[in-house]
Amino acid sequence: MTSEITSTKTPFVIEWRDGFKVGIDQVDQEHRHLFTLVKALDLASVDQTVEELLDYVVTHFSNEQELMESSGYPAFEQHLKLHEEFGAQVADFLGNQGAWTEDRVQELRRFLNKWLIGHIMTHDLRFGKWRANQRAPSAPVVPAVVPPTGFFARLFGRNRPS
């Protein structure tokens, strides 16, 4: 008697970790949400999840690029190109009109996780460190000015009675 062994593939899932933080709250929150969307990819809801993911990627890239541009980030143009290249790679993947299968969903998940982690830990982290170094040094402490009183204050028009 032979028994057939069926193997089911374990989904390729990478969870958000604090080690992925770049130190910019908005960017970190958006990255966390991207990981959540990638994790949600499954065969049953792939079309809906991919649509939501693509919409959110556009939102995230726009927000991140605005932060970079408005802060004068010197590598902004190079970073923008990385985002554009990612968009082209995703379009190529999705342009493959093959039917969604569990293997294709897993391939997409692997690609997205690999790209996200590599991009965050290299390029976004570089921006986070640069931005942290750009913060203006704290202003020197200025002692409180005590308004003058007495003869000279009256002479020069200060502390006039109302």
Side-chain angles (χ1 to χ4, degrees):
M1 184 185 264
T2 14
S3 63
E4 193 174 305
I5 300 174
T6 49
S7 68
T8 57
K9 292 183 180 178
T10 304
F12 184 84
V13 175
I14 295 181
E15 301 278 347
W16 167 263
R17 293 173 240 192
D18 284 346
F20 297 147
K21 286 184 177 180
V22 299
I24 303 168
D25 289 339
Q26 176 184 350
V27 173
D28 290 334
Q29 289 170 8
E30 290 175 4
H31 285 162
R32 180 177 290 142
H33 188 65
L34 286 170
F35 276 91
T36 300
L37 290 171
V38 172
K39 181 180 176 182
L41 282 169
D42 65 18
L43 191 55
S45 63
V46 68
D47 289 325
Q48 177 185 346
T49 306
V50 165
E51 187 175 325
E52 185 179 350
L53 184 59
L54 293 177
D55 285 345
Y56 197 76
V57 164
V58 170
T59 298
H60 168 64
F61 281 1
S62 297
N63 292 341
E64 189 175 84
Q65 290 165 192
E66 173 60 31
L67 283 170
M68 289 178 175
E69 191 172 30
S70 66
S71 67
Y73 183 51
F76 169 70
E77 291 296 326
Q78 294 90 337
H79 203 98
L80 181 61
K81 286 180 183 160
L82 294 170
H83 286 177
E84 290 169 353
E85 289 169 6
F86 172 77
Q89 290 173 317
V90 170
D92 286 347
F93 183 89
L94 297 176
N96 171 4
Q97 295 300 315
W100 284 108
T101 63
E102 190 60 44
D103 286 343
R104 188 166 177 234
V105 171
Q106 292 301 320
E107 184 182 349
L108 178 59
R109 186 182 285 136
R110 258 189 300 283
F111 165 73
L112 293 172
N113 277 316
K114 182 179 177 183
W115 191 89
L116 267 173
I117 292 167
H119 184 78
I120 289 169
M121 297 308 294
T122 304
H123 306 287
D124 289 346
L125 188 59
R126 189 175 298 145
F127 171 58
K129 287 180 179 178
W130 177 86
R131 190 165 182 256
N133 289 331
Q134 296 306 306
R135 293 191 177 140
S138 57
V141 176
V142 178
V145 176
V146 178
T149 57
F151 172 76
F152 288 107
R154 286 192 304 270
L155 179 65
F156 295 111
R158 294 187 182 109
N159 277 353
R160 291 184 190 166
S162 308

